[in-house]
Amino acid sequence: MDWLEILDGLSETAINTACHGYLREQPRRRPTPGDIYTRALACSMQGGPLDEGQRAAMPRDYEDNLETCLARARRWVTMGGSMAEHGHRFLAHWGASDR
């Protein structure tokens, strides 16, 4: 369900492009929802790819979705376990704190 919630609103083309790019670059590592979200978001942006943490270039609806994803990542961090690592990476990518 996390994957569906995080990727909601992104086009199938952007998600497919993100998945294929990730698998080419990281063939031995399983992607997190945040990995694919940031890549798909970059694919769907007009005017070039989105650099790490570059929020100013985002349309408002993407910014709202990102805030939802950041809140979810913070929840993963506080829950601990296997998702904590993914939460930390997603938050670090966007320059957000885990609080």
Side-chain angles (χ1 to χ4, degrees):
M1 288 307 293
D2 288 331
W3 281 86
L4 294 174
E5 289 177 27
I6 289 173
L7 299 177
D8 185 42
L10 296 172
S11 73
E12 183 177 343
T13 301
I15 293 169
N16 285 335
T17 301
C19 289
H20 289 291
Y22 186 92
L23 291 173
R24 277 193 304 274
E25 294 173 20
Q26 302 286 338
R28 299 195 194 293
R29 190 172 151 258
R30 180 179 283 176
T32 67
D35 290 330
I36 300 304
Y37 174 78
T38 53
R39 286 171 176 267
L41 183 60
C43 291
S44 64
M45 297 286 296
Q46 294 181 356
L50 183 66
D51 291 332
E52 190 168 317
Q54 183 184 351
R55 292 186 188 190
M58 282 186 189
R60 182 69 194 145
D61 57 331
Y62 288 132
E63 177 69 23
D64 292 341
N65 195 17
L66 176 60
E67 291 305 319
T68 301
C69 294
L70 291 172
R72 186 171 295 114
R74 287 184 187 99
R75 189 175 68 237
W76 291 341
V77 169
T78 60
M79 289 171 47
S82 62
M83 292 304 290
E85 168 81 21
H86 300 300
H88 282 296
R89 279 191 297 206
F90 186 81
L91 292 168
H93 176 83
W94 290 102
S97 73
D98 57 359
R99 299 183 203 299

